[in-house]
Amino acid sequence: MRIAVLGTTPMTIECILEFVKHGWEVAAVVSLPEDKQPLNSVDLKRISDEIGAVYYETDDLNGEKSEAFLSHLDLDYIFSTWPYIINERILNVPRYFVIGSHPTQLPYNRGRHPLHWLICMGIRESYMSLFVMDSGVDSGNILIQEMYSCAYDYGIQDVYENMIKACRQAIGRLCCTLEENPAYRGEKQNSSEANYWRKRNIFDVIIDFRMSALDIVRLVKSFNPPYECAVLLYKSEMLRIVNARIIPSCMEEEKLQRLEAGKVLEVKKHCISVKASDQIVELEVSEKLDLTKRQFGNYIYPPAKYVMEEPDLFQKLQKFV
């Protein structure tokens, strides 16, 4: 089978290698120019050179030039980990169809930033879904689904690695299926059960100590490295939080519950311990920062207070929306 692979991430590399492992010819690898790539992107030219595929960069996949490039490759399929919508002209290029990928159990949880939402919402397991792409968003016929764990230790990278393993297994199963029946188009999704997750922005990753400690930990771990990290607002500063953990308290339960949310309990060089709505949470910053040099008061207030008092802070936040 002859295929082109679209994408920008480490997962794209793993998908390319899996197709090659199963004897498929990866004719081309398509990626975005470096200045247009989203977070967690990698250089795909090297893997293209290693397998003898044509490497092509474009920030206009839906344009006539990209359509002409793909059309001349005589493709059976296109496999997409592309971060943007693909129009119908490109979907009609291959002999059979474009294979889409989405790390949830479609039709549930279509849409944006699925790994971040999975962790934040405490969903314990998910599925890598490979599907026939159509003009909708994650709405085409399901080809293969492979389960993976959303359990994390360090954070989102753990879940990402679990997802990649599931994707490799799903591709292996799909290759066998399509070699037996190249025109197989899977099973139709039940769209009446579908929901769509929205795009997250900076206001979704701001820590508020009125949240439970577990919710804060999930929030931090859903956006920690290699992503830009959750944000703690204090006065005019946006402190990026790389990790979080719940700290057992030696206080009596009644005494702990009398502490207000936001009460600062301890400040170390790279960590600060604060009372959340129910328990104590310790937040960790980058080794480049020294929290002991900041004059934390007795409390860290809800973020709205600092946004209202510091116009420059609001402008900083707007840059990430």
Side-chain angles (χ1 to χ4, degrees), residues 34 81 87 123 250 277-278 296:
E34 185 176 357
T81 60
N87 70 19
I123 297 173
C250 58
S277 70
D278 55 350
F296 287 101

Side-chain angles (χ1 to χ4, degrees), residues 89-318:
R89 291 209 314 269
I90 302 300
L91 296 179
N92 290 327
V93 164
R95 183 171 291 104
Y96 296 109
F97 48 79
V98 177
I99 303 164
S101 57
H102 189 73
T104 72
Q105 190 179 12
L106 296 176
Y108 309 113
N109 308 327
R110 298 173 179 176
R112 302 296 298 275
H113 295 149
L115 292 191
H116 305 295
W117 287 119
L118 286 167
I119 297 172
C120 247
M121 299 169 73
I123 297 173
R124 299 176 64 87
E125 62 184 35
S126 188
Y127 287 75
M128 171 53 68
S129 295
L130 304 183
F131 59 97
V132 177
M133 292 191 73
D134 59 17
S135 58
V137 177
D138 305 324
S139 56
N141 287 11
I142 299 296
L143 297 165
I144 296 287
Q145 290 186 319
E146 186 75 33
M147 189 179 73
Y148 66 94
S149 170
C150 296
Y152 55 80
D153 181 14
Y154 175 68
I156 192 169
Q157 188 63 28
D158 298 325
V159 180
Y160 189 82
E161 290 171 3
N162 291 342
M163 178 198 71
I164 286 177
K165 291 177 184 176
C167 190
R168 289 201 301 261
Q169 293 170 342
I171 288 174
R173 291 170 56 200
L174 182 62
C175 286
C176 295
T177 298
L178 295 180
E179 284 163 10
E180 291 182 5
N181 180 7
Y184 173 71
R185 296 188 68 88
E187 297 182 4
K188 187 175 181 180
Q189 293 188 43
N190 183 354
S191 293
S192 66
E193 296 184 348
N195 64 287
Y196 288 87
W197 280 339
R198 63 171 172 81
K199 179 181 179 180
R200 295 180 79 189
N201 62 38
I202 190 69
F203 297 104
D204 289 300
V205 295
I206 294 176
I207 294 166
D208 186 329
F209 291 108
R210 293 171 295 181
M211 299 164 63
S212 72
L214 180 57
D215 281 340
I216 292 173
V217 169
R218 287 172 177 163
L219 172 62
V220 170
K221 290 183 181 288
S222 77
F223 210 61
N224 67 350
Y227 295 91
E228 290 184 306
C229 298
V231 172
L232 175 63
L233 301 185
Y234 183 70
K235 295 185 177 178
S236 62
E237 287 196 275
M238 289 175 50
L239 299 173
R240 293 286 183 172
I241 306 302
V242 301
N243 206 353
R245 61 188 66 85
I246 296 172
I247 301 298
S249 174
C250 58
M251 297 182 192
E252 295 178 0
E253 182 66 21
E254 186 178 346
K255 183 177 181 181
L256 177 65
Q257 293 308 313
R258 285 201 296 265
L259 295 179
E260 310 99 304
K263 174 74 173 177
V264 176
L265 299 173
E266 185 177 17
V267 180
K268 300 177 184 177
K269 188 172 184 179
H270 302 306
C271 297
I272 183 168
S273 297
V274 183
K275 169 65 166 41
S277 70
D278 55 350
Q279 299 180 77
I280 299 169
V281 62
E282 182 183 74
L283 306 180
E284 180 183 342
V285 297
S286 164
E287 292 181 359
K288 297 177 182 178
L289 296 179
D290 185 350
L291 296 179
T292 60
K293 294 181 179 179
R294 287 160 173 79
Q295 299 299 314
F296 287 101
N298 291 326
Y299 298 96
I300 296 177
Y301 291 92
K305 171 181 168 62
Y306 303 117
V307 174
M308 290 178 64
E309 292 178 349
E310 302 286 347
D312 290 345
L313 181 58
F314 181 73
Q315 293 303 317
K316 289 179 187 177
L317 293 169
Q318 284 291 97

Side-chain angles (χ1 to χ4, degrees), residues 9-38:
T9 65
M11 180 177 131
T12 311
I13 293 178
E14 297 295 331
C15 295
I16 291 168
L17 294 175
E18 197 64 28
F19 281 116
V20 171
K21 174 183 173 181
H22 286 271
W24 285 36
E25 180 186 359
V26 178
V29 174
V30 180
S31 189
L32 285 163
E34 185 176 357
D35 62 339
K36 301 291 186 179
Q37 292 180 351

Side-chain angles (χ1 to χ4, degrees), residues 62-75:
N62 294 320
E64 292 182 2
K65 186 176 179 180
S66 297
E67 182 183 1
F69 167 76
L70 292 168
S71 295
H72 283 98
L73 292 172
D74 189 29
L75 300 168

